[in-house]
Structures are given as structure tokens and as C-alpha cells.
């Protein structure tokens, strides 16, 4: 998505060759006009596949996911991060390791909001090692929901996430794919 790539080049900051900061327009201060375009693009790509819900992982996936859910006119499920296992029989839970923080958390979903009738599109801001997305898929499959695909705003293609998801048979659609980056440069995958 040209518009997104231009914003990443003008306002993104590669902290080092692994971490990209986009907190001026995606995950701290949010540009609603750009998010509107992102939601429309995900909806255009995934429309007509019988999607019943959009799901994301709190918190930075919420902005792109809400605009996508709005475009598809379906509810948004926010998968919650909890520090440790909560003993509650009404919840699905699975453990995920965070790439940015190097910590683990329990991804949690209330049983009442998902069923075997759901066909779910997962949206997230970044794809790095694919742990968050794999956790979301595991959690939704505990509820016997089916997965329509994964929509990613920024994929760091030099990390193993995409490969891991493709191995699981998941369709991945990323709006910007970074081939490599460093302190003064960001290069996109040529498609
Ligand atoms: P993964 O589980 O794919 O390794 O990491 C996905 C999550 O880590 C994303 O939801 C995002 O919140 C965070 N993340 C991964 N890489 C980056 C990055 O370069 N910059 C930022 N801001 N967040 C990242």
C-alpha cells in the first residue's frame, strides 16, 4: 500500500535493524484517515469470504482492526493479554511470548463471544516472529472457529513470522513488507 509505505519512510524510525517505531501515526498517536484507508484495503481484500468477526490482540492492533470491522460490518473481538492464568471456566486461554518485551502472557477470550459458527479475520499492527498471530489462531481454534486469514499492517519480512503462518496454511496479507532496515534506511520487499 503506497500511502502506508510513504508514511513509514517519512515518519517511521528504525531503532535498530529489528525494531521499527511508528508511534506518531499507528500505535501511540493514531492517524484516523490512514487507518480508514487501511480498514478499506483489508476489507477490499477479504470481502466475500463469509467473515463473521474481526479479531485482534490488544492493544496496538485495535485501531486497524476497528476500521476493518467497520468496513466489513461485523463485530470486533479484542483478545486480551493477562499476566498469568486466570482460573475461569468461561475463558479460552493460551500462552504467548512477546517479541518486543521478551515476556510471556496469557491471551484470553471469553467463550460467549465466539463459536464454531465463526469465520474470523485476524488483524494486527506488526508481524515479526509470528508468536502473537499463532497464539490468536490457537485461541480461536480452541473455540472451533475457522480462520479466514491474517491482515498485517507492517510485516518485517526478514523475520520468520510469515513463513511460520504459511506453514500452518494461513493466508497472510500484509500492507507493507519491510525487506531490511537500519538506523538511516528502510527498504520494502519488491512485489
Ligand atoms: P510477533 O509475535 O510476530 O513476534 O510480534 C508481534 C507483536 O509484537 C505485534 O503485535 C507488535 O505489537 C509487536 N512488534 C513486533 N515487532 C515490532 C516492531 O518492530 N515495532 C513495534 N512497534 N512493535 C512490534
Amino acid at each position: 500500500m503506497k500511502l502506508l509505505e510513504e508514511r513509514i519512510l517519512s515518519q517511521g524510525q528504525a531503532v535498530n535493524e529489528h525494531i521499527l517505531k511508528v508511534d506518531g501515526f499507528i500505535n501511540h498517536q493514531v492517524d484516523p484517515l490512514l487507518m480508514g484507508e487501511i480498514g478499506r484495503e483489508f476489507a477490499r481484500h477479504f470481502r466475500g469470504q463469509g467473515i463473521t468477526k474481526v479479531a485482534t490482540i490488544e492493544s496496538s492492533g485495535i485501531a486497524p482492526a476497528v476500521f476493518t470491522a467497520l468496513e466489513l460490518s461485523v463485530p470486533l473481538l479484542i483478545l486480551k493479554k493477562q499476566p498469568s492464568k486466570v482460573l475461569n471456566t468461561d475463558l479460552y486461554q493460551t500462552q504467548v511470548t512477546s517479541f518486543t518485551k521478551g515476556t510471556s502472557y496469557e491471551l484470553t477470550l471469553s467463550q460467549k463471544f465466539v463459536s464454531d459458527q465463526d469465520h474470523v479475520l485476524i488483524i494486527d499492527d506488526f508481524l515479526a516472529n509470528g508468536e502473537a498471530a499463532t497464539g490468536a489462531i490457537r485461541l480461536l481454534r480452541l473455540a472451533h472457529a475457522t480462520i479466514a486469514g491474517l491482515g498485517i499492517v507492517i510485516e518485517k519480512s526478514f523475520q520468520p513470522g510469515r513463513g511460520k503462518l504459511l506453514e500452518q496454511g494461513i493466508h497472510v496479507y500484509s500492507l507493507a513488507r519491510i525487506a531490511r532496515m537500519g538506523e538511516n534506511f528502510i527498504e520494502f520487499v519488491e512485489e
Side-chain angles (χ1 to χ4, degrees):
M1 187 176 162
K2 206 85 211 117
L3 188 69
L4 176 63
E5 289 186 355
E6 284 167 7
R7 284 299 282 279
I8 293 170
L9 289 177
S10 64
Q11 287 184 23
Q13 190 201 344
V15 178
N16 52 42
E17 63 268 36
H18 298 294
I19 299 281
L20 179 68
K21 268 182 88 170
V22 287
D23 54 5
F25 58 109
I26 289 188
N27 54 21
H28 192 7
Q29 172 172 269
V30 175
D31 178 344
L33 296 179
L34 179 65
M35 283 301 164
E37 292 297 330
I38 286 172
R40 270 189 286 283
E41 180 53 25
F42 282 136
R44 187 196 61 75
H45 186 83
F46 287 100
R47 201 183 305 274
Q49 297 183 26
I51 290 163
T52 61
K53 280 173 191 172
V54 169
T56 192
I57 300 146
E58 68 171 356
S59 57
S60 44
I62 295 175
V66 81
F67 282 92
T68 308
L70 177 67
E71 290 294 326
L72 291 171
S73 302
V74 296
L76 168 64
L77 287 172
I78 300 169
L79 309 180
K80 306 269 196 179
K81 291 174 184 169
Q82 313 227 333
S84 62
K85 247 191 160 56
V86 176
L87 291 175
N88 186 331
T89 50
D90 300 337
L91 298 176
Y92 295 113
Q93 280 194 307
T94 189
Q95 200 179 54
V96 175
T97 302
S98 160
F99 169 79
T100 35
K101 301 194 186 96
T103 52
S104 290
Y105 56 86
E106 290 288 330
L107 203 58
T108 302
L109 170 63
S110 175
Q111 292 186 356
K112 66 179 171 221
F113 296 129
V114 69
S115 77
D116 59 1
Q117 300 301 302
D118 281 312
H119 192 47
V120 182
L121 169 62
I122 301 168
I123 298 287
D124 206 3
D125 61 339
F126 273 93
L127 180 60
N129 290 333
E131 291 304 317
T134 303
I137 292 162
R138 231 177 12 251
L139 194 65
L140 290 160
R141 284 185 172 159
L142 284 175
H144 304 288
T146 51
I147 311 298
L150 175 66
I152 293 290
V153 179
I154 303 173
E155 173 189 309
K156 291 184 292 178
S157 305
F158 53 88
Q159 291 181 313
R162 170 178 280 262
K164 250 189 233 174
L165 288 147
L166 295 183
E167 268 171 29
Q168 298 172 62
I170 300 294
H171 172 71
V172 180
Y173 180 56
S174 303
L175 301 186
R177 301 182 65 202
I178 297 177
R180 59 191 79 78
M181 61 187 192
E183 247 174 80
N184 299 314
F185 74 98
I186 297 170
E187 283 173 23
F188 296 101
V189 172
E190 288 184 30
E191 315 237 24

